[in-house]
Amino acid sequence: MSYTDQVIESLKKNISGFKKEVETEEVGAVIEVGDGIARLEGLDNCQAQEMIEFPGGVFGVALNLEEETVGAIILGDYKNIKEGDLVKRTGRIMSIPVGEEMIGRVVNTLGLPVDGAGDIKTKDMYPLERVAPGVITREPVNRPLQTGIKAIDALIPVGRGQRELIIGDRQTGKTALTIDTIINQKGQDVICIYVAIGQKESKVARLAAKLRAAGAMEYTTIFVAGASEPAPMSYLAPYAGVALAEYFADKGKDVLIIYDDLTKQAWAYREMSLLLRRPPGREAYPGDVFYLHSRLLERACNINKEHGGGSITALPIIETQAGDISAYIPTNVISITDGQIFLETDLFYRGIRPALNVGLSVSRVGGSAQIKPMKKVAGSLKLALAQFRELEAFAQFSSDLDPETKKQIDRGRLVTEILKQPQYTPMPVAEQVAVIYAVNNGFFDGTEMKDLADKEKNLLEFMRTAKSKLLDQIAGGEWNEKVENGLKEVCLEFSKKK
Amino acid sequence: MPKISTNHYAKILYSLLEKTEEIDEVVKIFLKFLRARHVLKKVDKIAADYARYAESREGTKQIEITSARPLGKETLANIKKQFGEKVKIMEKIDQSILGGCVIREKNIIVDVSLKRQTQKLKQNLLKHKITIK
């Protein structure tokens, strides 16, 4: 049989096997269309959060069920929807396609590809809204998630299953921090999901290119709800991201999800809520804006072995206006998360990058997830920084100070300098431990600030070539006298060589 | 003045008309009442709600049948039988459905048009995987 005949035969079979089905549909009619929302009549048995279909294959979600009307959001182009149009119930609740095939792709809120690399063929569907795992299935955060950033891994450690907020003004390196974290997950068996909410498409394109260049797209999915898309897309994007994360977590994998940023999601939700005529509250946000974020972030979890393992670590981002962390949304999200990383404009312009405010940043649960060597060396680092902060005001009178105070100030400066780290250069945890050990034990004392970065680089180079076994031991969480002496010897050897 | 929904107006009118023989007079007074309350512009909506309410009270049904060509008497009688005695049929001709018919009762649609069936067939064919031996 020729190729054509086979195709025809196959199609014939399909057509003859086609069964006519009569189905009843429940319908309603559009009475009002606004920016991204619609008010409908009819749809008597419509459920909350149910998907509805507008003419032209545009979908919507029913949000407000009122006495005589239904308020719905429209997912897609609403310009062709007019008064009187028929709307059908679908009987499904809002869900998106999920699967391994999504990895390495850039998709929109509905899970459809926007990177021009063809269709994504997935088998499963996951609901956008799902109740977070309960107490029985969870266990405390106990494994580290290495961000590769010295200041964070040492002072504000993040564990798998934690929710750590990244907060700061515009242009303080919030996104840069998360990108470094994604790049550092290479080979760590962590799947990363980056949700861009209300971002410039150019920024997302640049970011995707950067991740691809670093080889990080092999384990990353990017969700985009661009600034030009209607508000409902921005509102739903984080839930779409976490639905995919749950798919992987259910398979026992570790997932890192980044929401960039939740301020814009709250704006989108506010816009929708006002158009749907829900009563406005503080800062015109609706009453359930706390629940909007709490139900999302509660879905981050560390599942215990009996329930399949797997974890979802969430790094939500919040943008503040002029450093005001006491505004409505920032305080809400700070209270929901397990700690925050606070970035400051002042520090950023003083050249301290990442511009971390070590005093205001905390991690409430990450400490128990740190590996032992890091726990040991970070202790003295914290002490040195705390002492330095107290004495910093006297630093100008350096010549009149007693030698002990002067020593503490010098050490503090050195520590601040060593915690600086350029973008796109995450550092393995063992190397971080080695560097911090060297600073703590005075091996970098007397070094000019401008030479410090070079010296650090040389030390690590030396260690990688001569003592890679020691680094492996540290990475494995080993810490005893032998390891400590080994580190000491390397540092001594290194300083002699110079 | 408290706001009254159009549905509520319709119910008021129905309960008035139920008790009286002088329908014209009552409707006249009712319209004056609407004008006094500045809701005359909603009279269309009230009439629609009235029709719906009256139907639900009296058990009459109104169905709309859309077909590509006018339906035969026998077919219509057949359909009527399915919906019971108190049924009012409105016929509509729409050639774009190609064949068959679409029956609508309030918020429920039964679509047995040829157009819908071909659409489904198309979807089915698009999903179809061709295996070449």
Side-chain angles (χ1 to χ4, degrees):
Chain A
M1 232 194 304
S2 76
Y3 183 80
T4 333
D5 285 343
Q6 280 190 37
V7 172
I8 291 172
E9 199 59 35
S10 177
L11 287 176
K12 259 187 192 161
K13 226 184 194 170
N14 184 290
I15 292 171
S16 60
F18 178 71
K19 281 197 191 79
K20 274 200 284 180
E21 270 172 36
V22 178
E23 51 187 47
T24 51
E25 280 167 335
E26 286 182 54
V27 292
V30 176
I31 42 180
E32 185 185 321
V33 185
D35 288 322
I37 65 118
R39 200 166 279 275
L40 320 161
E41 64 174 2
L43 293 178
D44 291 336
N45 300 312
C46 186
Q47 294 171 294
Q49 297 277 344
E50 183 178 327
M51 291 246 273
I52 47 178
E53 196 183 344
F54 290 93
V58 178
F59 283 94
V61 180
L63 282 192
N64 279 7
L65 305 181
E66 287 156 24
E67 201 180 337
E68 285 177 17
T69 58
V70 172
I73 51 175
I74 305 166
L75 304 168
D77 193 10
Y78 54 83
K79 289 187 187 69
N80 298 322
I81 297 171
K82 48 189 194 305
E83 193 195 337
D85 276 353
L86 272 193
V87 189
K88 286 178 197 157
R89 270 186 68 184
T90 61
R92 283 182 286 143
I93 61 162
M94 183 69 200
S95 42
I96 60 154
V98 292
E100 306 276 340
E101 299 82 357
M102 307 270 281
I103 294 174
R105 303 298 300 268
V106 183
V107 296
N108 69 6
T109 303
L110 304 176
L112 304 172
V114 290
D115 53 2
D119 284 355
I120 305 178
K121 292 200 171 62
T122 50
K123 285 196 203 87
D124 296 311
M125 297 289 278
Y126 258 56
L128 287 199
E129 298 279 358
R130 200 168 83 159
V131 179
V135 181
I136 304 297
T137 57
R138 293 179 186 247
E139 69 178 2
V141 170
N142 49 19
R143 290 168 299 150
L145 183 109
Q146 306 296 354
T147 62
I149 295 157
K150 279 175 281 186
I152 294 176
D153 286 347
L155 302 169
I156 324 150
V158 179
R160 295 189 181 186
Q162 191 178 343
R163 301 156 296 173
E164 181 81 7
L165 170 67
I166 299 173
I167 185 167
D169 277 10
R170 72 204 149 73
Q171 287 293 312
T172 48
K174 299 185 295 299
T175 304
L177 216 60
T178 59
I179 296 310
D180 282 0
T181 308
I182 292 180
I183 292 174
N184 195 49
Q185 300 314 311
K186 195 169 192 172
Q188 304 287 317
D189 204 18
V190 174
I191 289 163
C192 301
I193 298 169
Y194 180 89
V195 187
I197 308 156
Q199 305 270 2
K200 300 173 205 81
E201 307 260 346
S202 66
K203 183 182 170 182
V204 178
R206 197 174 66 225
L207 217 134
K210 203 84 214 177
L211 288 177
R212 195 157 281 138
M217 275 313 268
E218 285 156 31
Y219 51 86
T220 305
T221 305
I222 299 180
F223 278 84
V224 193
S228 64
E229 282 175 76
M233 299 298 242
S234 294
Y235 156 61
L236 287 173
Y239 299 105
V242 81
L244 181 64
E246 277 170 349
Y247 169 79
F248 290 121
D250 285 351
K251 299 206 148 170
K253 296 203 173 127
D254 292 318
V255 188
L256 167 71
I257 181 161
I258 291 151
Y259 307 111
D260 193 357
D261 61 84
L262 291 187
T263 325
K264 296 207 177 66
Q265 193 220 0
W267 288 350
Y269 189 54
R270 174 169 64 184
E271 181 186 325
M272 272 168 40
S273 298
L274 292 174
L275 286 167
L276 285 169
R277 302 201 194 133
R278 291 179 173 182
R282 184 177 158 190
E283 288 176 29
Y285 288 106
D288 62 341
V289 74
F290 183 86
Y291 181 56
L292 169 82
H293 290 143
S294 67
R295 74 173 189 266
L296 172 71
L297 293 170
E298 196 56 24
R299 285 161 81 175
C301 56
N302 190 22
I303 302 293
N304 57 26
K305 284 277 168 316
E306 294 87 72
H307 291 86
S311 71
I312 300 176
T313 312
L315 295 179
I317 293 181
I318 288 283
E319 189 178 290
T320 53
Q321 306 294 328
D324 181 15
I325 54 169
S326 57
Y328 193 23
I329 301 301
T331 44
N332 274 355
V333 183
I334 286 174
S335 78
I336 295 164
T337 50
D338 307 312
Q340 70 273 3
I341 293 170
F342 190 46
L343 303 174
E344 269 186 349
T345 322
D346 272 9
L347 296 172
F348 189 82
Y349 289 123
R350 259 164 48 199
I352 301 173
R353 293 173 201 184
L356 220 70
N357 183 323
V358 181
L360 285 179
S361 305
V362 286
S363 172
R364 287 198 265 270
V365 295
S368 51
Q370 251 176 337
I371 61 168
K372 204 178 168 199
M374 185 53 108
K375 230 182 245 175
K376 293 285 177 208
V377 296
S380 7
L381 190 77
K382 267 181 206 155
L383 190 70
L385 269 174
Q387 285 173 339
F388 174 60
R389 266 205 303 279
E390 245 165 58
L391 299 169
E392 205 176 4
F394 304 114
Q396 296 166 3
F397 319 110
S398 61
S399 53
D400 305 332
L401 293 172
D402 62 291
E404 187 57 32
T405 315
K406 194 163 180 309
K407 205 177 144 200
Q408 282 176 355
I409 290 175
D410 286 343
R411 176 63 57 80
R413 282 207 179 120
L414 215 55
V415 168
T416 315
E417 191 66 28
I418 208 85
L419 290 181
K420 287 184 190 172
Q421 200 171 337
Q423 214 179 331
Y424 309 125
T425 52
M427 191 184 272
V429 65
E431 294 182 11
Q432 292 182 22
V433 171
V435 170
I436 295 169
Y437 179 86
V439 179
N440 282 343
N441 292 286
F443 289 105
F444 287 151
D445 284 2
T447 316
E448 290 281 322
M449 289 300 165
K450 62 176 174 12
D451 300 333
L452 193 66
D454 280 335
K455 206 163 171 185
E456 179 191 358
K457 214 169 101 189
N458 291 337
L459 171 69
L460 291 176
E461 196 82 24
F462 176 67
M463 283 196 82
R464 258 179 251 140
T465 47
K467 300 279 178 187
S468 63
K469 211 177 253 169
L470 190 66
L471 284 177
D472 290 343
Q473 267 177 324
I474 296 172
E478 227 176 290
W479 188 258
N480 46 36
E481 253 171 52
K482 225 175 116 197
V483 176
E484 207 175 334
N485 283 334
L487 264 177
K488 200 170 174 180
E489 267 168 41
V490 179
C491 291
L492 276 173
E493 217 174 303
F494 175 72
S495 7
K496 263 186 217 143
K497 214 175 73 171
K498 280 280 147 177
Chain B
M1 209 158 45
K3 209 179 159 190
I4 300 176
S5 70
T6 52
N7 218 342
H8 205 146
Y9 279 117
K11 280 180 191 169
I12 294 170
L13 182 61
Y14 186 82
S15 59
L16 286 174
L17 291 179
E18 228 175 6
K19 290 174 197 138
T20 180
E21 292 295 308
E22 298 164 54
I23 290 174
D24 284 357
E25 197 58 26
V26 171
V27 171
K28 218 183 245 175
I29 296 168
F30 186 74
L31 286 176
K32 272 184 190 161
F33 167 68
L34 291 187
R35 194 177 63 184
R37 293 187 66 98
H38 307 289
V39 285
L40 255 190
K41 60 176 181 237
K42 284 189 185 161
V43 76
D44 284 349
K45 189 102 203 306
I46 294 171
D49 283 344
Y50 177 83
R52 205 177 304 151
Y53 185 65
E55 264 171 39
S56 72
R57 283 301 293 266
E58 284 156 26
T60 52
K61 280 181 192 161
Q62 194 173 18
I63 58 171
E64 186 186 286
I65 302 176
T66 314
S67 54
R69 279 174 296 280
L71 293 173
K73 274 210 179 101
E74 221 167 283
T75 324
L76 273 178
N78 240 336
I79 293 172
K80 207 166 179 174
K81 226 194 298 177
Q82 302 294 321
F83 283 89
E85 274 313 299
K86 288 179 172 177
V87 67
K88 233 165 86 188
I89 292 184
M90 276 169 65
E91 281 180 84
K92 239 169 101 180
I93 304 293
D94 180 1
Q95 300 204 331
S96 75
I97 69 163
L98 302 175
C101 65
V102 181
I103 302 169
R104 177 175 181 187
E105 191 230 329
K106 262 165 114 190
N107 290 325
I108 296 174
I109 280 187
V110 181
D111 195 336
V112 276
S113 67
L114 196 57
K115 187 183 170 189
R116 174 75 184 193
Q117 296 298 327
T118 47
Q119 265 174 1
K120 273 200 207 156
L121 182 62
K122 184 180 165 188
Q123 276 171 10
N124 199 23
L125 281 177
L126 283 175
K127 264 190 236 155
H128 178 70
K129 268 195 198 120
I130 295 171
T131 42
I132 304 292
K133 280 159 224 159

